[in-house]
CSV table of all heavy atoms in Angstrom, one decimal:
chain,number,residue,atom,x,y,z
A,4,GLN,N,144.6,79.0,79.5
A,4,GLN,CA,144.1,79.1,80.8
A,4,GLN,C,145.2,78.8,81.9
A,4,GLN,O,145.2,79.5,82.9
A,4,GLN,CB,143.0,78.0,81.0
A,4,GLN,CG,142.3,78.1,82.4
A,4,GLN,CD,141.7,79.5,82.6
A,4,GLN,OE1,141.1,80.1,81.7
A,4,GLN,NE2,141.8,79.9,83.8
A,11,SER,N,148.3,85.0,87.4
A,11,SER,CA,147.6,85.5,88.6
A,11,SER,C,148.3,85.0,89.9
A,11,SER,O,148.4,85.8,90.9
A,11,SER,CB,146.1,85.0,88.6
A,11,SER,OG,146.0,83.6,88.7
A,46,THR,N,159.9,90.9,120.4
A,46,THR,CA,161.2,90.9,121.1
A,46,THR,C,161.2,90.0,122.3
A,46,THR,O,160.5,90.3,123.3
A,46,THR,CB,161.6,92.3,121.5
A,46,THR,OG1,161.5,93.2,120.3
A,46,THR,CG2,163.0,92.4,122.1
A,62,ASP,N,142.0,82.8,103.6
A,62,ASP,CA,142.1,81.8,102.5
A,62,ASP,C,141.7,82.6,101.2
A,62,ASP,O,140.8,83.4,101.2
A,62,ASP,CB,141.1,80.6,102.7
A,62,ASP,CG,141.7,79.7,103.8
A,62,ASP,OD1,142.9,79.6,104.0
A,62,ASP,OD2,140.9,78.9,104.3
A,64,GLN,N,140.8,82.2,97.1
A,64,GLN,CA,140.4,81.4,95.9
A,64,GLN,C,140.7,82.3,94.7
A,64,GLN,O,140.1,83.4,94.6
A,64,GLN,CB,138.9,81.1,96.1
A,64,GLN,CG,138.4,80.3,94.9
A,64,GLN,CD,136.9,80.1,95.1
A,64,GLN,OE1,136.1,80.8,94.5
A,64,GLN,NE2,136.5,79.2,96.0
A,77,PRO,N,130.0,101.5,85.7
A,77,PRO,CA,130.7,102.6,86.2
A,77,PRO,C,131.4,102.3,87.6
A,77,PRO,O,132.5,102.6,87.8
A,77,PRO,CB,129.7,103.7,86.4
A,77,PRO,CG,128.7,103.4,85.3
A,77,PRO,CD,128.6,101.9,85.2
A,80,ILE,N,132.0,95.5,88.7
A,80,ILE,CA,132.3,94.5,87.6
A,80,ILE,C,131.4,93.4,87.9
A,80,ILE,O,131.2,92.9,89.0
A,80,ILE,CB,133.8,94.1,87.7
A,80,ILE,CG1,134.7,95.2,87.4
A,80,ILE,CG2,134.0,92.9,86.8
A,80,ILE,CD1,136.1,95.0,87.7
A,95,ARG,N,131.5,79.3,103.7
A,95,ARG,CA,132.6,79.7,104.6
A,95,ARG,C,132.2,81.0,105.4
A,95,ARG,O,132.5,81.1,106.5
A,95,ARG,CB,133.9,80.1,103.8
A,95,ARG,CG,135.0,80.6,104.6
A,95,ARG,CD,135.6,79.5,105.6
A,95,ARG,NE,136.3,78.5,104.9
A,95,ARG,CZ,137.6,78.7,104.5
A,95,ARG,NH1,138.3,79.7,104.9
A,95,ARG,NH2,138.1,77.7,103.9
A,102,PRO,N,138.2,83.7,107.0
A,102,PRO,CA,137.5,84.2,105.8
A,102,PRO,C,138.1,83.6,104.5
A,102,PRO,O,139.2,83.2,104.4
A,102,PRO,CB,137.8,85.7,105.8
A,102,PRO,CG,138.9,85.9,106.7
A,102,PRO,CD,139.0,84.8,107.6
A,103,LEU,N,137.2,83.4,103.5
A,103,LEU,CA,137.5,83.0,102.2
A,103,LEU,C,137.2,84.1,101.3
A,103,LEU,O,136.1,84.6,101.2
A,103,LEU,CB,136.8,81.7,101.8
A,103,LEU,CG,137.0,81.2,100.4
A,103,LEU,CD1,138.4,80.8,100.2
A,103,LEU,CD2,136.0,80.0,100.1
A,109,VAL,N,141.8,89.8,86.1
A,109,VAL,CA,141.2,90.1,84.8
A,109,VAL,C,142.4,90.6,83.9
A,109,VAL,O,143.0,91.7,84.1
A,109,VAL,CB,140.1,91.2,84.9
A,109,VAL,CG1,139.5,91.4,83.5
A,109,VAL,CG2,139.0,90.8,85.8
A,113,ASN,N,143.5,90.4,74.6
A,113,ASN,CA,144.6,90.1,73.7
A,113,ASN,C,145.8,89.5,74.5
A,113,ASN,O,146.4,90.3,75.2
A,113,ASN,CB,145.0,91.3,72.9
A,113,ASN,CG,146.1,91.1,72.0
A,113,ASN,OD1,146.7,90.0,71.9
A,113,ASN,ND2,146.5,92.1,71.3
A,114,PRO,N,146.1,88.2,74.4
A,114,PRO,CA,147.2,87.7,75.2
A,114,PRO,C,148.6,88.3,74.8
A,114,PRO,O,149.5,88.2,75.6
A,114,PRO,CB,147.2,86.2,74.8
A,114,PRO,CG,145.9,85.9,74.1
A,114,PRO,CD,145.4,87.2,73.6
A,126,LYS,N,155.5,95.0,83.3
A,126,LYS,CA,154.1,95.4,83.3
A,126,LYS,C,153.3,94.1,83.2
A,126,LYS,O,153.5,93.3,82.3
A,126,LYS,CB,153.7,96.3,82.2
A,126,LYS,CG,154.3,97.7,82.2
A,126,LYS,CD,153.9,98.5,81.0
A,126,LYS,CE,154.6,99.8,81.1
A,126,LYS,NZ,154.3,100.6,79.9
A,139,GLY,N,124.4,87.9,104.7
A,139,GLY,CA,123.1,87.4,104.5
A,139,GLY,C,122.9,86.6,103.2
A,139,GLY,O,121.8,86.1,103.0
A,158,MET,N,139.6,96.8,94.0
A,158,MET,CA,140.8,96.5,93.2
A,158,MET,C,142.0,96.2,94.1
A,158,MET,O,142.2,96.9,95.1
A,158,MET,CB,141.1,97.6,92.3
A,158,MET,CG,142.1,97.3,91.3
A,158,MET,SD,142.4,98.6,90.0
A,158,MET,CE,143.4,99.8,91.0
A,160,GLY,N,145.4,96.6,95.3
A,160,GLY,CA,146.5,97.6,95.1
A,160,GLY,C,147.7,97.2,96.0
A,160,GLY,O,147.7,96.1,96.6
A,167,LEU,N,142.9,94.1,103.8
A,167,LEU,CA,142.0,92.9,104.0
A,167,LEU,C,142.2,92.3,105.4
A,167,LEU,O,141.2,92.0,106.1
A,167,LEU,CB,142.2,91.9,102.9
A,167,LEU,CG,141.5,92.1,101.6
A,167,LEU,CD1,141.9,91.0,100.6
A,167,LEU,CD2,140.0,92.1,101.8
Side-chain angles (χ1 to χ4, degrees):
Q4 186 57 40
S11 68
T46 304
D62 285 337
Q64 181 184 99
I80 293 168
R95 177 66 73 83
L103 176 61
V109 183
N113 179 359
K126 293 180 186 176
M158 187 174 81
L167 279 174

